[in-house]
Amino acid sequence: MIKNEILDHNQVQHKIRRIAYQIAEVYLNHDRIILAGIIGGGYTFAKELKKALSKIIDTEIVLCKVIIDKTDPLAAIQTSIPTSEYENKGVIICDDVLNSGTTLIYAVKHFLNVPLDRLKTAVLVNRNHKKYPVKADFKGLSLSTTIEEHIEVQLEKKPFNVMLE
């Protein structure tokens, strides 16, 4: 399978910065923002978003790992911080790629069991293959692909990139 680079390191960083500015505008009056990254690429994306947001706003930014079994999204979902830390706060669920929407919608469902001030979603790449009515409020890139194609996001080490295979 041929791999094509869709976003290089500088483009990925630009997308993350742009999303951070959008988040800063929406959550301007919040005293605390929870970046809830879905385990794996979503949590890595949330960490990079936190770095970018910290350069823009003085608001407290808390990272939260959302532990979800992607093969069995109906299984119990856990978070790395207690519910009391995000109750009545602004939460942004982060994932690297929005594909079918399965993982994201079950993560949203988990957070809907807690009273929140605001709940939004952020993804680096939106693939437009949703089977659930979930959308990315903040997205770096929308991409129409075939079902057979795969998006690989590399944020673990520099240089960052996004590949299509």
Side-chain angles (χ1 to χ4, degrees), residues 15-96:
K15 299 287 185 195
I16 291 170
R17 249 188 333 273
R18 187 172 56 78
I19 292 169
Y21 274 101
Q22 291 172 336
I23 290 169
E25 281 182 28
V26 172
Y27 287 81
L28 184 64
N29 296 322
H30 287 74
D31 61 337
R32 174 186 259 193
I33 299 172
I34 311 297
L35 293 177
I38 294 173
I39 194 165
Y43 185 69
T44 307
F45 174 54
K47 288 192 293 189
E48 292 301 319
L49 264 179
K50 180 181 179 181
K51 288 179 198 172
L53 263 171
S54 297
K55 295 176 183 174
I56 302 167
I57 56 175
D58 292 330
T59 306
E60 180 186 8
I61 303 162
V62 177
L63 276 174
C64 170
K65 189 179 286 185
V66 179
I67 302 146
I68 183 170
D69 181 349
K70 294 181 181 188
T71 61
D72 182 14
L74 288 172
I77 295 173
Q78 298 175 354
T79 56
S80 62
I81 62 174
T83 305
S84 60
E85 287 201 34
Y86 51 82
E87 193 171 281
N88 297 312
K89 300 297 178 193
V91 174
I92 302 150
I93 301 173
C94 305
D95 207 357
D96 54 349

Side-chain angles (χ1 to χ4, degrees), residues 10 98 103:
N10 290 333
L98 173 53
T103 306

